[in-house]
Amino acid sequence: MPKARGKSARSRQEDSDMETDPPTQASQPTLTQAQRAAESLSRQEIERKVNEVVQFFLIMEQKKAAVKRADITKHILKEHSRVFPVVFEKAKKKLREVFGVSVEELEGKDKRYILVNLVDTPDGQDHLNMLDDGPKSGLLLVVLSLIFMKGNVIQDTLLWHTLKRLGIEENHPHEVLGDVKSLLTKEFTRQQYLEYKRVPQSDPPSFEFRWGPRAHKETSKRRVLQFVSKMYGSESLEIWTSQYQDVLRAEGGEGGGT
């Protein structure tokens, strides 16, 4: 486990190009201070930050990498770092209730967290636990959800814009995932989880993502809509009118994979 650092840690941090250490304990906001800071954000904005933290954990879980508090602040909270305690507590609750995993803090002063599967899930809930599905789990689930919620197809520019909120950029290697563009456009397409095709007659060329045949076989639109609904704190699928109708059509014609 990491050992406590001396007082020179702060100066070393200031010389670094990237923030690798969190603020000292004295500078970290209390829950009450965070609640006051959260009042400056809308309920929708807080919920979006919570969902992005959840997705960030799922993506980092692919490589069994610990999540740093500093990275959550840098990539997601940004100038709203003082709301961390509020957003983090909501994200922990959502990860437990939706995925059946607990966020555990590692020993040391650098504030790192990992996900741990819960052996006993409360109330016999049917958790959407895809964390044991190997490297296709976190990022793939997020991408499949985005595709489905956008009407079963998403422009690649919109997908990359959304993933950038999670610290994932199209043309920059990710510190954990590596070359994400290659992962989405080559590996996942080769494995038939995604389809990545040029939009016909587009000039300049534009591309779009759809579910691939294997995605239709290994998950379902209902399961993905359940994931999205629980991310937004709802047990009802009917609030997503067009997507729910899509689920019913898919289930009415199961076997067609459309």
Side-chain angles (χ1 to χ4, degrees):
M1 295 297 176
K3 295 182 178 180
R5 303 182 181 187
K7 292 183 179 180
S8 61
R10 180 177 296 274
S11 61
R12 290 198 302 270
Q13 177 180 329
E14 291 172 348
D15 292 336
S16 174
D17 291 332
M18 291 182 60
E19 180 182 7
T20 56
D21 297 314
T24 61
Q25 185 65 32
S27 67
Q28 292 176 6
T30 66
L31 182 58
T32 301
Q33 291 171 333
Q35 289 169 337
R36 286 199 295 266
E39 293 175 358
S40 65
L41 299 176
S42 68
R43 179 179 177 182
Q44 291 78 11
E45 182 69 9
I46 290 291
E47 188 67 23
R48 183 172 70 83
K49 296 291 185 185
V50 170
N51 289 340
E52 288 175 358
V53 171
V54 170
Q55 292 167 355
F56 189 70
F57 265 101
L58 296 178
I59 290 168
M60 296 294 280
E61 176 66 14
Q62 288 190 100
K63 301 290 186 179
K64 300 299 181 184
V67 172
K68 299 176 184 177
R69 172 173 177 155
D71 286 341
I72 293 175
T73 298
K74 176 182 177 181
H75 296 303
I76 299 173
L77 299 181
K78 300 177 182 178
E79 69 272 19
H80 302 297
S81 61
R82 296 193 68 80
V83 305
F84 178 89
V86 170
V87 170
F88 191 59
E89 286 303 313
K90 289 179 179 291
K92 286 168 60 178
K93 180 180 179 183
K94 189 160 288 189
L95 283 162
R96 174 180 290 271
E97 294 179 352
V98 177
F99 292 96
V101 293
S102 173
V103 177
E104 301 293 337
E105 183 174 348
L106 299 178
E107 292 184 16
K109 293 195 174 183
D110 51 351
K111 294 291 182 181
R112 295 178 300 136
Y113 310 92
I114 60 172
L115 297 182
V116 177
N117 285 321
L118 297 174
V119 177
D120 298 316
T121 56
D123 305 322
Q125 295 180 27
D126 180 19
H127 295 295
L128 299 174
N129 190 351
M130 296 182 69
L131 300 183
D132 292 329
D133 290 349
K136 65 179 180 288
S137 57
L139 178 61
L140 183 59
L141 178 56
V142 170
V143 172
L144 291 176
S145 300
L146 290 171
I147 293 172
F148 175 62
M149 298 304 290
K150 291 297 181 180
N152 298 306
V153 59
I154 189 170
Q155 295 287 321
D156 63 344
T157 52
L158 178 56
L159 176 65
W160 290 116
H161 175 75
T162 305
L163 292 179
K164 188 174 181 179
R165 297 176 181 171
L166 306 177
I168 298 174
E169 298 192 44
E170 179 179 4
N171 296 312
H172 292 84
H174 189 269
E175 61 178 328
V176 172
L177 302 171
D179 187 346
V180 178
K181 183 174 183 178
S182 178
L183 181 63
L184 296 185
T185 63
K186 295 180 180 180
E187 183 173 339
F188 284 165
T189 56
R190 183 176 65 251
Q191 295 171 345
Q192 301 292 302
Y193 286 110
L194 297 175
E195 290 182 354
Y196 177 67
K197 296 181 178 179
R198 178 177 175 176
V199 177
Q201 300 180 340
S202 58
D203 186 20
S206 60
F207 295 83
E208 59 189 19
F209 287 93
R210 299 176 184 267
W211 283 26
R214 187 182 293 272
H216 285 286
K217 295 293 185 181
E218 294 190 5
T219 189
S220 67
K221 292 180 176 181
R222 177 177 290 275
R223 190 180 188 196
V224 168
L225 189 57
Q226 287 173 337
F227 162 67
V228 174
S229 294
K230 289 187 175 183
M231 287 283 287
Y232 283 90
S234 173
E235 295 293 330
S236 173
L237 305 186
E238 288 85 348
I239 63 172
W240 310 96
T241 307
S242 61
Q243 288 86 359
Y244 184 63
Q245 291 300 316
D246 193 358
V247 168
L248 296 181
R249 286 193 297 270
E251 293 177 343
E254 281 187 350
T258 58

